[in-house]
Amino acid sequence: MRRLLAATAAALSAAALFAFPGHASAAKLPNFDFSACPAPPANADPGTWRCEAFVSQGALTIGDREIPLGEMRLTFSEGRVDGKFAQVFGELRHAPARIRGAFGTTLQLKYGGYSDFLSNDERRGELDLYAVLRHPLLPKECTIGTLDAPLHSVVKDDPAVPFEVISQNPKTVRFGVVDSQLALPGTTGCGPLTRAADEVLGLPSASGKNTFKLSTYVQFKPL
């Protein structure tokens, strides 16, 4: 009996070590894809470039409507050129997310042509986006924002998901970001259903009434 109790105590102690708060289990990490990593520019400073692969889960809240976005993946490369920081965007991938209560409509985020992931004391980064709306009755051009007039998101650290180093080899981190000042215009290119789409989604929606929130894992790969 004593041997059984001792073995049980040892097993519980070992389990506690692996479940210590603040340390993510490797089994919970997503698979990181570096296939879309852009190559460094021809004049890049040797040995300074790396690719960052993001895997995020998040939500977009418009007024009082929350749209779970599911998984979003993003890659970019960063390093130095002539001693100065530089970045090259790779790819943004996001599967269409169903909008509850919107009659089967889905929303898919697309890259809007601008990004700046150099963090500072005021924000974690900036990203231009637009959202494609899909429904059998909507034209293919139906969007919120466009490539020519994208949504500009400035994300800040989310205290609810503090920065955490998961692994040093390969370096993997986790953090949360939030943009509570994102302004959303009315829909564009939705044809006769423009007004209906705006009413269903609550658009346009001014800055301060919307939230774009992501919980993100990032893994780094030297280039």
Side-chain angles (χ1 to χ4, degrees), residues 13-220:
S13 297
L17 286 174
F18 288 104
F20 190 81
H23 293 270
S25 167
K28 296 180 181 179
L29 288 178
N31 293 319
F32 295 94
D33 183 3
F34 292 92
S35 62
C37 291
N43 57 342
D45 295 353
T48 66
W49 280 75
R50 66 184 184 183
C51 182
E52 299 190 19
F54 287 56
V55 182
S56 304
Q57 294 279 342
L60 174 64
T61 302
I62 306 173
D64 58 359
R65 177 195 291 274
E66 182 179 85
I67 304 171
L69 295 173
E71 184 179 271
M72 186 173 78
R73 289 178 174 262
L74 183 151
T75 54
F76 73 96
S77 297
E78 66 176 7
R80 294 192 173 274
V81 174
D82 296 330
K84 297 180 180 179
F85 181 81
Q87 297 176 341
V88 181
F89 188 83
E91 182 180 68
L92 171 66
R93 282 185 283 166
H94 177 234
R98 184 172 294 276
I99 304 174
R100 291 193 294 258
F103 313 107
T105 305
T106 63
L107 177 151
Q108 184 178 26
L109 295 178
K110 299 281 189 177
Y111 179 55
Y114 172 80
S115 61
D116 181 2
F117 300 113
L118 180 59
S119 302
N120 57 36
D121 293 339
E122 297 180 355
R123 87 290 188 277
R124 173 66 63 174
E126 301 182 25
L127 181 66
D128 278 1
L129 302 159
Y130 64 99
V132 176
L133 299 175
R134 289 283 183 263
H135 185 277
L137 299 179
L138 289 174
K140 292 183 178 180
E141 299 79 15
C142 184
T143 62
I144 305 172
T146 66
L147 187 58
D148 292 330
L151 315 174
H152 183 64
S153 178
V154 179
V155 294
K156 299 183 178 182
D157 290 326
D158 183 358
V161 189
F163 185 89
E164 177 185 8
V165 177
I166 304 298
S167 168
Q168 289 289 359
N169 187 24
K171 186 172 182 180
T172 308
V173 302
R174 179 177 181 246
F175 56 85
V177 294
V178 60
D179 177 3
S180 58
Q181 299 301 313
L182 181 66
L184 297 173
T187 56
T188 298
C190 299
L193 293 179
T194 294
R195 191 173 192 179
D198 285 347
E199 289 180 357
V200 168
L201 295 174
L203 298 174
S205 188
S207 174
K209 295 183 177 181
N210 317 298
T211 305
F212 178 49
K213 183 179 290 191
L214 296 173
S215 177
T216 299
Y217 287 95
V218 185
Q219 194 167 93
F220 303 82

